[in-house]
Amino acid sequence: MRGPLGAVIGRYPSSDGVTEMGGIIRHNRKCRDITVLVIFIAFWIAMIVNSSFGFNQGNPLRLTYGLDYKGNVCGDKHANPGLHKLELRYWQNPNQVYQSGLKDSQFKLVDARSICLLDCPIPSDDSLNWVCDYPEGDIRLSMDDWINRNYDYFEFLTPEMRNSSLQLQGPCYPVIFPSVNVYWSCQFIARASNTSLKHWQQMGGVNINEDIVIDKSIHKSINSRSAVLKRYMADIGKAWPVLIVCGGILPLFLSVIWLMMIRHFVAAMPWITVVLFNVLIVSVTMFYYLKAGWIGNDAISPIIGEHDPYINVFGRELTHIRAITVLMTFIMAVAILTSIAIVRRILMATSVLKVAAKVIGEVRALILFPLIPYGILAVFYMFWISAALHLFSSGQIVQNNCNSNCCTYDLVAKRVNCDRCCGYSIHYTPHIGVAILFHLFGCYWATQFFIACSSTVIAGSVASYYWAHGETSQEIPFLSVFSSMKRLMRYSLGSVALGSLIVSFVESIRFLLESIRRKLKVSSHGHDSCIGKAAYQSSQCFLRCIEWTIKSVNRNAYIMIAITGKSFFSASSIATELIMNNILKIGRLNVIGDVILFLGKLCVSLSSALFAFLMLDTHKYNSGHNKTSSPLFPVVVCWALGYIVATLFFAVVEMSIDTIVLSFCQDSEEHQGTAQYAPPLLIETLGDQNEMQRLTQGPQ
């Protein structure tokens, strides 16, 4: 409902340029915007190639788990040795961890010796525990035996190996500090065990540094921006059942229910929508308060599994969810005040929705048609999310060049090796960043394309219904939806691809500007200047206005494409003229109708977010293997998916109103105020004289 659209009776020629359009849609069309269609096909091929690169190079386990001293990903059953269920990264040498935390030290934590374990080791109360390297060489133990012995085979070491271990050069390292599982890494607690430390000193071990630096070094690494982003992406993969249920099945069910209620309870639906919206936004905001720890004791925690209740570890995820909570509080207040302000306009929205209800009742296939683009998008999103996880985790594992004097005992070479003791990290090349950006753009373009296709099919079906006096004929098949779909696929896919590309391009520019602003803000040591802030805000406002205008014109252009079969720019020109000619007639109706439909979409998407919170609050996602670092990303993704699904189904109402009401206005204009093609059911709905005057003449 972005602007008026009238019939093109006697004013605009049909696509062949000769035959004048009659009261119904003719089928003599031509293929339009073929060049853009070819570009779109090439884009899909590039998307497949780009995703194949991610599937070949990526490993989603890297998003959650760290690397050991051999360069293996913890938890990878295909590693050598197999690390199935050994998911926790533990730093064996406490002095290396301490050194990495010093302010002027060149030694980095990624170069400290780490190993993959089943659980975080704790110091013994009466002896000294050890964590030894993976058994190999002369150590004749299987991995299972090594695990069952709590990673300790110190008693099997030769005198040379024992002396090396006492120098913190392995193959065995003492467990001096307690540790806790923080996002699958064992974070040291800077409280050395007196008993273990005493045994270590009695055995002649080297001095072990005791300082809070040993705690902060690991904590800083775990809370780095890159580590947090990886965990957010991993959360999406872990919560895939939540995405399917709350982002796919639930919004489908709610959208169909909403359409059915519009059909049978149209007078009550605006009131139900407004009340339900307020209840849902308050409920979702309260869940954010719970997870932020501002209500109750259910704040998100970075610690996985059972732990000492006196141990408190802070995660960056908590800061993020608290910021979102503040934002949601502001949005909730504005939303409630806005809904109160539109109460007096709801009766007007009811009269608008009656038009769509009549159309849905006559063209019943409209309710089921969105299932087709829904199914296509569902398959696309499953492929896209899987490819995204692999792209974000792609890269080459390489050994660092740390230039440090670290030495470790090599069980295979049977000697202390000081040449290859540096740790491993994942090397990201610039083309990976380009591949990720292309993947994100592809998702947005594909989403806009399928939504535009759905809207065009609905517009063509509704227009066929209107210009046939609301009755079937030989030129309008009974299944007008499928007839409209056939016209779209045969003639207008290029035009729809062009319209969706323009919207995606403008949105991409906004995204790039925001990324540049963030980088400049991080690199700047001083405060942003007032001129810089004003320039940025002005550019963002300008781009938002352009985006809104393009989307407004596009919706009406899709209707003209469905009716006339013209190219995108020709249809946009006609649509713009019709908007300017009729803006005073139905502008008020369109605005209030848009608000109610927008609130309906938010009701569906907020319901998805609310149920996502409930599912993520279960034991499965709060502890153990599938623990999510934060509900933030899965909830936001479910909200976005719910909104997209609602947009597909609510387009039935939106495009019906756009096409029917505006065709009615143009029909009246062409016939001196008397609509000739309005179907009987529409005349019945708009039979009241005051209603007719308001629709056709607007405010006086």
Side-chain angles (χ1 to χ4, degrees), residues 542-584:
F542 178 70
L543 286 173
R544 284 185 181 275
C545 291
I546 292 178
E547 180 187 5
W548 181 86
T549 303
I550 290 176
K551 287 184 177 181
S552 176
V553 173
N554 276 11
R555 289 188 61 84
N556 291 278
Y558 296 147
I559 298 175
M560 294 307 303
I561 290 172
I563 295 177
T564 67
K566 290 185 174 293
S567 65
F568 175 78
F569 289 114
S570 298
S572 299
S573 176
I574 298 174
T576 302
E577 180 183 349
L578 292 172
I579 290 172
M580 300 306 297
N581 291 340
N582 296 278
I583 192 168
L584 295 179

Side-chain angles (χ1 to χ4, degrees), residues 52-123:
S52 299
F53 165 78
F55 286 122
N56 290 329
Q57 300 293 326
N59 182 0
L61 290 177
R62 299 175 185 172
L63 300 174
T64 302
Y65 309 117
L67 304 177
D68 65 6
Y69 66 88
K70 288 179 174 288
N72 298 318
V73 180
C74 293
D76 188 358
K77 62 182 179 181
H78 301 294
N80 183 23
L83 301 177
H84 182 56
K85 295 185 179 180
L86 300 177
E87 300 170 338
L88 275 66
R89 177 176 54 177
Y90 175 75
W91 285 273
Q92 297 169 276
N93 191 332
N95 278 359
Q96 287 183 338
V97 176
Y98 172 82
Q99 185 181 356
S100 68
L102 296 177
K103 184 175 181 180
D104 297 326
S105 175
Q106 299 298 319
F107 190 82
K108 304 300 181 183
L109 185 62
V110 293
D111 295 318
R113 193 170 184 83
S114 60
I115 193 171
C116 301
L117 305 178
L118 188 63
D119 48 16
C120 292
I122 57 175

Side-chain angles (χ1 to χ4, degrees), residues 157-279:
L157 299 183
T158 64
E160 181 186 4
M161 293 180 184
R162 292 194 178 197
N163 182 63
S164 174
S165 297
L166 292 175
Q167 301 300 316
L168 287 180
Q169 295 179 352
C172 293
Y173 298 83
V175 180
I176 303 297
F177 296 93
S179 58
V180 62
N181 182 357
V182 177
Y183 295 136
W184 310 104
S185 293
C186 295
Q187 177 170 326
F188 288 159
I189 307 299
R191 285 199 311 264
S193 169
N194 293 330
T195 302
S196 299
L197 192 59
K198 182 179 179 180
H199 280 84
W200 171 258
Q201 293 170 347
Q202 290 176 348
M203 296 176 67
V206 297
N207 180 57
I208 291 181
N209 298 293
E210 301 179 64
D211 195 279
I212 197 171
V213 171
I214 200 172
D215 184 341
K216 291 184 176 179
S217 177
I218 298 178
H219 182 75
K220 182 180 179 181
S221 173
I222 293 175
N223 280 294
S224 65
R225 292 185 177 180
S226 60
V228 173
L229 179 59
K230 288 181 180 179
R231 288 198 294 269
Y232 280 149
M233 292 301 300
D235 289 342
I236 296 177
K238 294 177 182 178
W240 64 266
V242 179
L243 302 186
I244 292 177
V245 174
C246 300
I249 298 175
L250 180 64
L252 169 64
F253 175 77
L254 294 178
S255 298
V256 173
I257 291 297
W258 198 89
L259 287 180
M260 297 298 294
M261 293 184 69
I262 279 289
R263 172 71 180 93
H264 299 286
F265 307 100
V266 62
M269 280 309 295
W271 299 97
I272 294 174
T273 301
V274 172
V275 172
L276 186 60
F277 167 73
N278 286 287
V279 172

